[in-house]
Amino acid sequence: MYRYDEFDRKFVNERVAEFRGQVARRMSGELSEEEFRPLRLMNGLYLQLHAYMLRVAIPYGTFSAEQMRKLAQIARTYDRGYGHFTTRQNIQFNWPKLEDVPNLLAELADVEMHAIQTSGNCIRNVTADPYAGAIVDEVDDSRIWAEIVRQWSTLHPEFTFLGRKFKIAVSASDYDRAVVRFHDIGLFIKKNDAGETGFEVWIGGGLGRTPMIGKISNEFVPAEDLLSYLEAVLRVYNMNGRRDNKYKARIKILVHETGLDELRAQIDAEWAAIKDSALKVPEYEIERIRVYFAPPPFETLNAVDRGFETKKFENPEFSRWVNGNVVAHKQVGYAIVNISLKTDDLPPGDITADQMDNLADLAENYSFDEIRATHEQNLVFAHVKQSELFELWRELGEIGLAMPNIGKVTDMIVCPGLDYCGLANTRSIPVAQRISKRYADLDQQFDLGELKLKISGCINACGHHHVGHIGLLGVDRRGEEFYQITLGGSGAEDAAIGSIIGPAFSSSDIVDAVEELINFYVEIRNQGERFLDTYRRVGAAPFKSRLYPEKLDAAA
Amino acid sequence: MPLLKGRNIVEDAWTLLADNLELPEAGFVIVSLDRFIRDRDLLVACSGPIGVRLSSAQSPELIADALEVFSLIELEFPAFTDGRPYSYAQLLHRLGFAGEIRAVGNVLRDQYLNLKRCGFDALEIKEGETAEEWCIATGAFSAPYQVAYDTEKPIMSLREKRLAAAS
Amino acid sequence: MEHHVITANRLNDGLVVFMGEDGCWENSILDAQVLETDETLKICLASANTAEQAQIVVGPYEIEVIENDKGEFRPLRFRERIRAYGPTTHADFATQDVPGHLTHLDDVSPVYFNGVG
Ligand code: HEM
Ligand code: SF4
């Protein structure tokens, strides 16, 4: 994985010093809250419902055991013993004191981490496929390019006060494991016929109040021109994006209002003017970064490990975990292991400091000292020997992290909701916990197959509800918690935005309503059909009439 | 208001001309875009230097065909969170504008580095503020990650230099 | 007039605070000064704004409260109850023992609204 050289190290330390000065000016009153707010947000520091919250970047989701241990220590010292993984390869800590944050950042800098641009109206932490470097179908390691974008975007002088946040994701597969199409810029790495690397660029995706799937602005930007192309897009957006209404300030609205063809023409004109400049990514820099992402020293192993096959045969629980959470690796004899953070006891994405320490040890022992964070608020060990899967599973079980529910109904994306968030209409986590209890039976979860349920506590859609097969959106009905259901969304390669199915349900009724929808699916599904496929086949109407039978009666 | 240029507060020879006031022959006045559009011929004919002030909603594209008329262009920040002028400044450089680019309005001193890197030559600060305070920001980082419109060497090229030295 | 208390977040630690009898900022809503007239509300909001100017609190505002049968004042709005009593997701994060605040942790039915008051 990428390691800082002296330049990166110095830069991050200087950023900590700069923020320390800003905090001191805030405490002394030289900076008002209004002035300080954008400055602290650009360093990941929010003031939430109960306290401050710091969002720490895990660039493109890759981090080491040492970094995980530091996060554990931070959870103990500054949070109340927990960390919370988000949907954008960040980790959040609640409850830090303002005066402690500079020290916290200095501790992070010690292990080459930071909170730069994890919030604010700037280019956010760049995300990538969590299976990068391990998955068979990638054409390149997306992290190399994400790192190049990270460096270019870090404290970019022109793009730190954009109209709104700006999110970039990179993937190198046809499968989309990073919700690339719902980013302001989504990059798919491609090879052209000549075998050269380039990027298919999607612009104008986003969730929030007006969800939109991105559109292709360029089918092949040569690798060396990546930064000039990004700069052209950002410049056109920065100059022309709306500033009159923050709900219309994302690039998705500019794409929508300007029209893709016209906007593409503007971008191309800008690009042409700056393409042949110092923005070209030099080959030595690409190679320098590529070296860091060289495959770890894999052993030459057999495709089939007897011990592993036997264990699977003997132990149905292990076998179920393998079926649910383990994915084929491109290196023979290795596997990609998903570690679910949707367990019985904690809110989705939460992890205790002790679990973090334990996982750090496991990563060293089983996965070349490397951990990944996914946009579904889970973790990944990317390089595990098949022959060691059983031992790893057993050890994960001991720390409560062997839940085999990846992609299942209880593997929900859930925003913090009103339990933490000042913008929320309703709570999200308690609904998720009640759904988890309802579907605690793993046999039933496996029978239901892939089912993506996502919950947001308000229309900002941090819980990705628009792209849930089933999405729940919290709404306020005369001061009470209600939840609106959307069906048919997807954040993957078959991207779609869910449609609202009908009037919202009260908190007491929402779990029953979800169960009713799922029961209906089970009744009408074809062999092997996912919930989403069934919904796409039959459409919304049958689900609607099942969920709101009285409406039907009234209409009849 | 004091004018900060580089590391120093300097004398400001310019004044902002209200739209209803007459154009002085000696120039050194800054007009609005509206005034320029209305009195273009007069302004072009003026023997003294002329400046124009653009609001953050007015792109320099609007004066792209008249850049040689101006010795000074002021880009206005209505709020320090409105980042459009950063892009305008670089656009002006690219369009070949050779005069002075100034930031006016609401900027935080933390933004001085960004302004300089985007090619602003000067900015108006508040009465009582010192150049030293503002210059803390420009010294905050030893090297930037990306190229911009200053002469700062980005980290990438420092790496190249080190690489070359090593081989 | 309805009853109000004044709340904010403390600048330094960010925690939710309530304005107490002597104008000090208290961590518990039980220690809050309950304001019964427009006049006192106005005066206290002004002094809360002064506290904001003095870098003590951030974003002060008033919330409506109602009295329960034990004579305690509780926020009327749901959001403010969560602010006053803590997240409902971890038993040990609740700032006060309030009936109903954590019901869903044991089970299912969100009787939050009925439980408090
Ligand atoms: C906790 C405090 C949080 C606040 C105040 C907050 C605020 C917001 C706001 C205002 C938006 C809408 C932005 C827009 O449409 O322009 C948004 C979007 C989003 N947030 Fe959050 N958020 C918070 C936490 C989180 C967390 C914990 C996650 C991850 C689980 C998250 C992930 C996202 C995502 C993925 C979006 C959608 C981005 C898009 O529109 O493309 N946020 N958030
Ligand atoms: S979706 Fe709404 S409630 Fe949930 S974290 Fe985002 S802003 Fe808060």
Side-chain angles (χ1 to χ4, degrees):
Chain A
M1 56 179 267
Y2 186 72
R3 299 305 310 261
Y4 285 6
D5 63 9
E6 69 269 30
F7 299 111
D8 300 302
R9 193 165 298 117
K10 194 155 189 200
F11 189 95
V12 169
N13 285 331
E14 287 169 339
R15 180 72 178 110
V16 173
E18 182 187 42
F19 191 64
R20 194 183 291 279
Q22 290 168 345
V23 169
R25 281 157 65 210
R26 174 69 188 108
M27 304 282 277
S28 75
E30 188 189 322
L31 285 173
S32 68
E33 186 61 19
E34 193 198 350
E35 291 167 330
F36 181 56
R37 196 170 165 276
L39 301 180
R40 69 165 155 75
L41 287 177
M42 238 169 288
N43 231 326
L45 187 65
Y46 286 76
L47 180 52
Q48 296 230 76
L49 201 58
H50 304 287
Y52 290 102
M53 178 274 278
L54 183 74
R55 187 181 285 162
V56 175
I58 301 172
Y60 35 88
T62 301
F63 58 127
S64 68
E66 183 197 21
Q67 291 175 327
M68 182 67 121
R69 286 197 190 94
K70 177 60 80 178
L71 295 175
Q73 182 217 319
I74 283 169
R76 285 194 191 93
T77 316
Y78 302 102
D79 190 309
R80 297 179 174 176
Y82 298 89
H84 176 89
F85 284 96
T86 77
T87 53
R88 290 205 76 261
Q89 300 180 322
N90 295 312
I91 182 168
Q92 297 186 170
F93 295 103
N94 293 308
W95 318 105
K97 288 185 188 169
L98 179 58
E99 64 182 359
D100 288 342
V101 172
N103 290 338
L104 197 171
L105 292 172
E107 290 198 48
L108 285 173
D110 287 344
V111 295
E112 307 181 4
M113 295 187 94
H114 60 73
I116 298 171
Q117 288 163 222
T118 54
S119 180
N121 294 335
C122 49
I123 303 172
R124 299 289 189 88
N125 181 33
V126 181
T127 59
D129 187 340
Y131 295 168
I135 192 74
V136 191
D137 64 9
E138 68 180 8
V139 301
D140 198 1
D141 191 319
S142 43
R143 295 171 301 171
I144 297 165
W145 302 97
E147 174 61 24
I148 288 170
V149 175
R150 181 189 78 82
Q151 297 199 15
W152 162 79
S153 64
T154 296
L155 266 56
H156 196 296
E158 195 181 331
F159 306 131
T160 37
F161 291 89
L162 299 169
R164 204 76 183 85
K165 60 166 95 167
F166 203 96
K167 302 180 177 182
I168 302 179
V170 193
S171 166
S173 304
D174 292 334
Y175 290 95
D176 185 351
R177 288 173 289 261
V179 271
V180 176
R181 289 168 180 82
F182 290 93
H183 278 73
D184 297 275
I185 293 181
L187 299 171
F188 284 101
I189 306 174
K190 302 277 176 190
K191 295 267 188 210
N192 67 8
D193 293 341
E196 294 155 343
T197 304
F199 296 87
E200 180 181 285
V201 183
W202 294 60
I203 61 170
L207 297 168
R209 186 167 304 247
T210 322
M212 289 196 191
I213 302 176
K215 298 182 176 70
I216 296 179
S217 68
N218 195 311
E219 281 169 10
F220 194 82
V221 172
E224 60 170 6
D225 297 324
L226 175 64
L227 296 185
S228 56
Y229 192 80
L230 294 180
E231 193 146 319
V233 175
L234 263 296
R235 186 163 299 142
V236 168
Y237 164 62
N238 189 37
M239 293 195 291
N240 303 310
R242 285 181 62 174
R243 298 262 176 175
D244 58 327
N245 177 340
K246 75 170 178 172
Y247 300 116
K248 302 208 158 139
R250 297 278 298 269
I251 193 176
K252 61 190 174 186
I253 304 294
L254 183 66
V255 174
H256 183 71
E257 291 182 351
T258 312
L260 181 64
D261 290 336
E262 167 58 23
L263 197 67
R264 183 188 286 132
Q266 292 175 14
I267 293 167
D268 285 348
E270 182 64 32
W271 189 34
I274 61 175
K275 202 192 263 183
D276 295 309
S277 70
L279 283 167
K280 279 229 190 298
V281 192
E283 194 57 34
Y284 69 82
E285 180 66 4
I286 301 173
E287 286 316 309
R288 186 188 75 88
I289 292 174
R290 184 179 293 283
V291 169
Y292 289 110
F293 296 103
F298 291 124
E299 293 170 36
T300 309
L301 300 171
N302 291 330
V304 180
D305 182 86
R306 292 231 153 186
F308 167 61
E309 296 301 329
T310 314
K311 286 282 192 259
K312 262 200 305 191
F313 185 73
E314 288 171 358
N315 189 322
E317 279 193 47
F318 172 59
S319 167
R320 174 152 64 193
W321 177 78
V322 171
N323 282 336
N325 292 23
V326 177
V327 175
H329 199 284
K330 68 177 170 191
Q331 176 73 24
V332 173
Y334 284 80
I336 301 172
V337 171
N338 284 279
I339 298 167
S340 170
L341 298 182
K342 318 301 164 61
T343 56
D344 292 333
D345 333 306
L346 292 181
D350 272 26
I351 183 169
T352 67
D354 290 346
Q355 285 174 326
M356 289 190 222
D357 277 335
N358 290 321
L359 276 182
D361 295 343
L362 294 179
E364 281 171 343
N365 293 338
Y366 293 101
S367 191
F368 294 100
D369 186 10
E370 208 194 278
I371 308 160
R372 312 288 180 87
T374 78
H375 87 269
E376 296 192 301
Q377 301 181 282
N378 293 317
L379 298 174
V380 168
F381 281 2
H383 315 292
V384 182
K385 273 189 220 168
Q386 273 184 20
S387 58
E388 294 182 343
L389 283 171
F390 184 77
E391 267 310 296
L392 173 60
W393 170 72
R394 216 184 39 71
E395 294 204 49
L396 285 171
E398 281 171 14
I399 56 171
L401 291 176
M403 185 64 103
N405 60 348
I406 294 295
K408 305 295 188 290
V409 58
T410 58
D411 182 13
M412 292 168 263
I413 291 181
V414 183
C415 83
L418 192 51
D419 282 304
Y420 293 93
C421 175
L423 306 174
N425 291 322
T426 69
R427 291 174 294 168
S428 305
I429 297 165
V431 177
Q433 288 173 324
R434 282 154 54 209
I435 293 173
S436 281
K437 276 201 180 120
R438 185 72 57 97
Y439 287 97
D441 180 354
L442 285 166
D443 289 333
Q444 188 185 7
Q445 287 192 48
F446 270 75
D447 174 62
L448 296 175
E450 183 184 288
L451 208 176
K452 307 233 166 175
L453 212 156
K454 304 183 197 285
I455 311 177
S456 307
C458 82
I459 194 60
N460 288 323
C462 303
H464 288 196
H465 68 277
H466 297 299
V467 294
H469 300 178
I470 299 176
L472 304 184
L473 163 66
V475 290
D476 180 324
R477 291 274 182 274
R478 290 175 304 281
E480 295 208 34
E481 294 177 294
F482 271 65
Y483 297 86
Q484 197 174 63
I485 303 180
T486 55
L487 294 181
S490 170
E493 53 286 350
D494 55 356
I497 292 162
S499 324
I500 297 169
I501 182 90
F505 291 87
S506 72
S507 185
S508 324
D509 292 338
I510 185 64
V511 181
D512 292 337
V514 168
E515 189 176 20
E516 199 59 34
L517 288 168
I518 294 178
N519 288 344
F520 182 60
Y521 149 71
V522 170
E523 288 164 27
I524 65 166
R525 68 179 164 186
N526 290 335
Q527 180 79 35
E529 205 174 43
R530 298 177 304 165
F531 181 93
L532 181 63
D533 303 326
T534 303
Y535 174 81
R536 285 179 173 174
R537 174 169 58 81
V538 305
F543 282 93
K544 211 174 208 158
S545 47
R546 175 66 168 255
L547 204 54
Y548 305 98
E550 66 286 359
K551 285 252 159 56
L552 219 63
D553 294 347
Chain B
M1 266 193 274
L3 185 70
L4 182 64
K5 227 176 190 173
R7 310 189 59 84
N8 303 303
I9 292 176
V10 297
E11 203 62 44
D12 185 1
W14 294 82
T15 44
L16 187 65
L17 189 69
D19 280 354
N20 57 350
L21 293 187
E22 207 156 299
L23 191 68
E25 206 32 53
F28 283 105
V29 286
I30 302 152
V31 298
S32 70
L33 179 64
D34 284 352
R35 176 71 177 269
F36 173 67
I37 291 168
R38 190 176 40 159
D39 289 346
R40 181 169 178 148
D41 293 343
L42 257 173
L43 285 157
V44 170
C46 176
S47 58
I50 298 293
V52 66
R53 176 178 288 196
L54 300 178
S55 81
S56 68
Q58 294 168 335
S59 165
E61 304 267 13
L62 299 169
I63 52 166
D65 65 345
L67 291 180
E68 70 290 345
V69 176
F70 302 112
S71 311
L72 170 72
I73 296 179
E74 290 190 336
L75 299 174
E76 189 176 8
F77 290 78
F80 70 91
T81 48
D82 185 341
R84 283 176 284 189
Y86 293 106
S87 286
Y88 295 157
Q90 77 69 35
L91 183 64
L92 279 171
H93 281 289
R94 224 189 51 231
L95 293 173
F97 178 66
E100 176 177 326
I101 303 176
R102 269 187 200 180
V104 296
N106 187 350
V107 283
L108 292 182
R109 70 168 153 96
D110 306 79
Q111 298 173 310
Y112 191 28
L113 178 63
N114 291 350
L115 291 172
K116 273 182 79 164
R117 297 213 62 219
C118 289
F120 283 87
D121 303 296
L123 82 128
E124 266 182 17
I125 61 176
K126 292 192 195 77
E127 236 29 273
E129 290 179 330
T130 67
E132 291 72 45
E133 280 168 1
W134 278 81
C135 288
I136 295 173
T138 54
F141 295 92
S142 341
Y145 269 118
Q146 61 294 97
V147 284
Y149 293 85
D150 52 4
T151 52
E152 220 47 65
K153 284 252 173 287
I155 286 174
M156 241 186 234
S157 60
L158 299 177
R159 283 178 178 140
E160 188 185 21
K161 229 159 81 199
R162 189 186 49 184
L163 204 72
S167 63
Chain C
M1 193 188 91
E2 299 88 22
H3 293 94
H4 289 97
V5 306
I6 293 175
T7 183
N9 291 77
R10 202 184 276 125
L11 174 66
N12 181 17
D13 58 15
L15 294 181
V16 174
V17 287
F18 301 91
M19 189 187 268
E21 288 295 340
D22 47 5
C24 283
W25 294 90
E26 307 286 351
N27 287 323
S28 168
I29 191 170
L30 296 177
D31 298 325
Q33 180 181 354
V34 177
L35 309 170
E36 301 183 1
T37 66
D38 284 336
E39 195 55 27
T40 49
L41 178 59
K42 227 161 107 190
I43 293 167
C44 288
L45 273 176
S47 94
N49 287 331
T50 310
E52 184 170 36
Q53 300 302 312
Q55 286 78 247
I56 296 167
V57 296
V58 181
Y61 61 101
E62 78 276 18
I63 61 170
E64 212 177 307
V65 290
I66 47 171
E67 194 171 6
N68 69 6
D69 48 18
K70 281 184 266 170
E72 296 162 342
F73 284 88
R74 305 281 195 201
L76 178 70
R77 284 186 57 211
F78 180 55
R79 174 185 195 274
E80 295 305 330
R81 291 186 187 196
I82 293 189
R83 259 186 102 250
Y85 306 134
T88 67
T89 50
H90 292 87
D92 46 338
F93 290 179
T95 49
Q96 264 155 65
D97 186 15
V98 177
H101 192 56
L102 302 169
T103 27
H104 75 277
L105 286 181
D106 313 317
D107 173 54
V108 214
S109 190
V111 290
Y112 191 79
F113 252 78
N114 317 333
V116 198

